[in-house]
Amino acid sequence: MPFFSKKKNIKFIPCIDEKELSTMVSSIICESIKKNPNTVLGLSAGVSVGLLYDCLVRETKKQAIDFSDVTSFNTDEYIDIDKRYQKYSKINFMRNHLFSRVNIKVDNTHFPTIDNYKSYDHDIQKVGGIDLLILSVGPNGYIGFNEPNTKFNSVTHQGDLDNSTRTYLMNFFDEKINVPHRVVTMGIKTILQAKKIILVAIGELKSAPISKLFENKYSAVWPVTALLFHDDVTVYADIGASKLMLK
């Protein structure tokens, strides 16, 4: 692992509930944009960040935050999602929960796809890198869609969803047999090149990976532990996700 040195102190912010977490993190995003109108955001999509984006939209209107010069790069997207279920795509989630509700330019929003994944890291570096990455974590410790035993030096790539991840995602798909198998995702190396990372965790299913992260030992079986090699990570977790930390 020649490109990062271990280890840094990861900050842990336990929150009363998802609302408090979302309010705190949305304020950080707003402050980043106010300080730097050209902020490059790394964004996740999914159940962990839905309320967060709702809060961000409200704060954007309240504080008159201007997204017109903001650039975003999402962490991942499904490859083989059935055309009938495009409502579950990450791009559709982002449009509905954030992009259609703020004045970000469509051309400034980016998603990894089967066509552009080989150039995705270059595209990120071309705009100066990600200033602030909002990251979520899966029950088995995936970040982005970097499943257990993903190579530490991976860049944006295609991958297969772990069976445990597909089982987890079944909770959010109407037709369980249509949960995608394949994805494109920022790699672990890509994620670690962000300047600042905020990891959000909601619910008891996220308590195990959060606990593993704070054991301060890297394990490829728990991809989230790669964050130990980054020097500016803050974890925001609700009561459920903090369960094992607060014992």
Side-chain angles (χ1 to χ4, degrees):
M1 305 174 190
F3 43 87
F4 295 105
S5 59
K6 193 169 179 264
K7 305 176 180 173
K8 311 296 181 182
N9 291 323
I10 294 179
K11 295 177 282 294
F12 178 67
I13 311 294
C15 302
I16 295 172
D17 53 23
E18 184 179 0
K19 181 179 179 181
E20 182 182 52
L21 181 156
S22 299
T23 300
M24 294 174 73
V25 175
S26 64
S27 294
I28 293 170
I29 298 171
C30 287
E31 285 302 313
S32 178
I33 297 170
K34 283 195 290 187
K35 289 178 181 177
N36 176 17
N38 298 107
T39 291
V40 179
L41 295 174
L43 299 173
S44 300
V47 65
S48 296
V49 292
L51 184 58
L52 166 57
Y53 292 146
D54 288 342
C55 288
L56 178 57
V57 170
R58 284 196 297 271
E59 282 301 307
T60 294
K61 293 176 180 177
K62 182 179 177 181
Q63 300 184 41
I65 303 296
D66 183 8
F67 273 75
S68 61
D69 292 321
V70 170
T71 300
S72 72
F73 288 87
N74 264 71
T75 56
D76 50 75
E77 181 58 283
Y78 301 115
I79 291 177
D80 58 352
I81 191 166
D82 191 298
K83 290 181 179 179
R84 295 172 296 170
Y85 299 100
Q86 285 299 314
K87 63 182 179 180
Y88 298 114
S89 69
K90 300 306 181 80
I91 189 169
N92 192 62
F93 180 97
M94 294 304 303
R95 284 172 176 165
N96 290 339
H97 285 83
L98 182 62
F99 295 157
S100 66
R101 304 166 71 190
V102 296
N103 67 327
I104 194 168
K105 296 172 183 173
V106 173
D107 288 347
N108 286 352
T109 63
H110 304 275
F111 293 81
T113 69
I114 193 67
D115 297 316
N116 73 7
Y117 75 91
K118 291 183 179 179
S119 62
Y120 204 63
D121 288 58
H122 175 72
D123 293 340
I124 292 171
Q125 294 308 313
K126 203 163 54 173
V127 295
I130 292 171
D131 296 305
L132 174 61
L133 173 58
I134 307 301
L135 197 60
S136 57
V137 60
N140 66 2
Y142 68 73
I143 48 176
F145 268 136
N146 292 284
E147 296 282 21
N149 296 308
T150 299
K151 291 182 179 179
F152 187 90
N153 65 347
S154 60
V155 295
T156 302
H157 61 279
Q158 301 180 54
D160 294 312
L161 290 181
D162 189 86
N163 285 335
S164 64
T165 298
R166 294 189 70 248
T167 299
Y168 168 66
L169 292 173
M170 283 180 184
N171 296 310
F172 313 109
F173 278 68
D174 292 338
E175 296 289 337
K176 300 188 183 352
I177 60 170
N178 288 298
V179 174
H181 290 264
R182 304 258 317 145
V183 293
V184 279
T185 180
M186 287 184 185
I188 291 175
K189 181 177 180 180
T190 314
I191 287 170
L192 292 180
Q193 288 175 330
K195 295 164 191 171
K196 179 180 179 66
I197 297 174
I198 290 178
L199 181 71
V200 298
I202 305 292
E204 288 190 23
L205 287 175
K206 311 299 177 65
S207 61
I210 295 303
S211 177
K212 287 293 180 182
L213 174 59
F214 283 93
E215 286 179 5
N216 203 33
K217 181 180 178 182
Y218 171 69
S219 169
V221 176
W222 293 92
V224 67
T225 60
L227 297 180
L228 291 167
F229 294 83
H230 196 281
D231 62 4
D232 191 352
V233 177
T234 304
V235 175
Y236 289 81
D238 74 350
I239 289 296
S242 302
K243 182 179 179 180
L244 297 177
M245 294 288 294
L246 301 177
K247 278 189 173 183

